[in-house]
Amino acid sequence: MSTSEPTIIGALSPSRAGDFMTCPLLYRFRVIDRLPEPPSPAMVRGTMVHSVLERLYDLPAPERTLDAAQDLLEPQWRKLLEQEPSYAEMFGDDQERAQWLARARVMLERYFTLEDPTGLEPAERELYVEAVLGSGLLLRGYIDRLDVAPTGEVRVVDYKTGSAPGPAFEARALFQMKFYALVLWRLRGSVPRLLQLMYLGGEGEILRYSPDEADLLATERKVWALWQAIERALETGEWRARPSRLCGWCNYKDLCPEFGGTPPPLPARQPGDTVSRRR
């Protein structure tokens, strides 16, 4: 009996799986065509807030105050600008930039209403994880924070800078967390005790869920079904648009047949096209 790992047939992250569930054509534009997207102020602000919360835990516990978190905003913004100077072009003037930054400060204030960071010592922050299923599908992603209790129980934490979803959309929001839990289960052999989504937009809210093995087996079946649908689209070249209210925020409307556009010719599929390590 061979003990070698299966050949990797492709890779999925929660975000790319979410793209395909939202709209197969969106997945194609991002993963197959790799079309560039202009940065959005909301996306960049989310990246900055995540960076601040990650750096906050570099400080000694008593120093993890709201003032300390606010003091980290400008340095993290400057760091993002150094990495991508085009971010400065998102704003029409200094006032618009100041309003954008002020919303980030509000998100940090909400974070401090949801938990006290002085009483926490995360085991991991911004943790990259990957696991290969028996089918050869590689699952990968970045976990914002991993907390491990003295008894060994694991809590997976993810920060969201949007508002909490309504009850009808909670299952979709939890899919990402179950995806991470599945990867950790396959990597470490134990099911995380708690999945925690922290929403820093709106009024601030925490969504918690305790998974079990049945949940994660169901998630594994769902992920595999998604990959099979992606493979069918790769084989047939049919990447259908799925219109929804999210179309209003799509950067590819000019190329979408639903809005009178024409997608570019499909590129030849090359080995590794769906396997590159990108968040």
Side-chain angles (χ1 to χ4, degrees), residues 249-267:
W249 288 273
C250 183
N251 289 309
Y252 304 118
K253 287 173 70 174
D254 291 345
L255 298 174
C256 179
E258 294 293 327
F259 296 91
T262 302
L266 268 168

Side-chain angles (χ1 to χ4, degrees), residues 230-244:
I230 291 170
E231 283 287 331
R232 285 194 295 272
L234 285 166
E235 292 169 3
T236 63
E238 295 182 10
W239 298 89
R240 298 183 179 180
R242 184 174 296 148
S244 73

Side-chain angles (χ1 to χ4, degrees), residues 57-75:
Y57 284 96
D58 289 336
L59 300 174
E63 297 178 20
R64 297 174 197 155
T65 64
L66 175 57
D67 286 342
Q70 303 282 24
D71 288 343
L72 288 169
L73 269 177
E74 284 285 358

